[in-house]
Amino acid sequence: PMSAEEAMEGDDGSQVQVSFTTKLPEELVVTNLPIAVPARLTRRGLSEVINHLLGLEDPRPFDFLVGGDLLRATLSDHLESKQVSTEEVVVVEYVLLPSKPEEQLELPHDDWVSGVSCLPTGHVLSSSYDGHSRIWAPNQDDTPSNANPLAMLSGHAGSVSCCAWGEGGSGETLAVTGGKDFMVRCWAVVMAGAKSNGPVTWAQVFRYSGHEGAVQAVASRGARFCSGSWDKTVKIWDSPDSSEIAEALSEGRGRSRDASAQPRRSKRGKGDDTSGEAAPAKERGCVCTLIGHTQTVTGVAWAGDDVVS
C-alpha cells in the first residue's frame, strides 16, 4: 500500500477539498476542517490519509461514503457520477472496514442446504435436499456447538426446499417448512431454555395442502405465514393455536416411535413420509390464494401485518 505522503501527492496536481466526518468513537475522530487530497485517491488512499491524521501505530482499514454511497472508484470519478463539483468542499464519512468473516464451525447435512433461519436465542433451523430439517444449538461463548442437531424434523416426501421460524397464537415457537412434495408443514418446538444446548421437544402440528407445485419459499409473521410455489401462487395459512399445539405435543404427532432412531432419507415425490410416526399430522387448508405471477414464486416476505410481497 502507498504511504500517507504518497497518497497526498497527486499525479496531475488535481485536488479535492474534503471534510471528514464519522460516527466512530472519539479516539478515531479526525478534524472536520477541509483538507485538500488528490482527486485520484480511492478507498485505500483515503484510508492511508485517515491513519496518518490519527497517528495510529497499527494502521486500521477504513471505508468511505460520499453522498450516501460507498466509494468504489476514484474520488473524482465518484463525484463526476454524482454530478458534484470538485470545486466544492465534499463531506466524506468514514467507517471501519468490516473484517473478513471467519468460519467458526460446520453443521453437516447429507445433501444441499436449501434454507436457514435463526432465532434471537441463537437456535438455527435449516432445511436440506436430504428430506429433513434440523434444529441446531446456539454457539455459546464463542465455543463450537455440538455438530449433531438437537432435533431432526422429518415428514416431507422429498427434498425440503425452505424453512422459517414462526410463532403460534400465544407466542409459541414454530418451525415452518416447505417441500418438493407440494406441502407446507408446521412444527411446534419447545426448547429446554433460552440459549440452551439441552433437549428439544417437537411435534408436527399440521401439514398444509393446496399448492400444485413445489413450495419454494415460506415466511411467518404473527399468527400467520405465507408460502410461494412453482404453481405461480402465494398462499396464506393460519398458524395453529395453543390448544392445537398442546394436542400435537401430547400425541407426539409426527415423532418417530423410536426416539433414538435416525430418520431415513425420504424418497422424492409427492405424498407423505409417515413411516414410523407415532401419530400422523393433521391436514389444514389455506386462508386464501394470491394469484397474478406468470412464473415461479421464488421468494415471499411480509411487509406488514396484512401485506405480503
Side-chain angles (χ1 to χ4, degrees), residues 244-287:
E244 292 166 333
I245 291 173
E247 179 184 342
L249 288 169
S250 66
E251 294 178 358
R253 196 179 297 161
R255 296 287 303 270
S256 170
R257 292 192 182 94
D258 180 3
S260 63
Q262 288 292 327
R264 66 175 176 81
R265 179 175 175 138
S266 303
K267 294 181 179 179
R268 300 178 188 270
K270 185 177 178 181
D272 292 320
D273 179 15
T274 57
S275 58
E277 288 185 0
K282 295 182 179 180
E283 189 167 324
R284 172 176 280 183
C286 69
V287 175

Side-chain angles (χ1 to χ4, degrees), residues 150-184:
L150 296 177
M152 187 178 290
L153 315 181
S154 302
H156 284 282
S159 301
V160 186
S161 48
C162 52
C163 64
W165 287 111
E167 289 186 3
S170 299
E172 298 90 346
T173 300
L174 301 176
V176 181
T177 61
K180 300 295 185 183
D181 57 0
F182 306 178
M183 290 285 183
V184 176

Side-chain angles (χ1 to χ4, degrees), residues 131-153:
H132 309 298
S133 296
R134 295 167 174 82
I135 298 173
W136 305 90
N139 192 13
Q140 302 180 61
D141 303 323
D142 297 325
T143 58
S145 299
N146 194 320
N148 294 319
L150 296 177
M152 187 178 290
L153 315 181

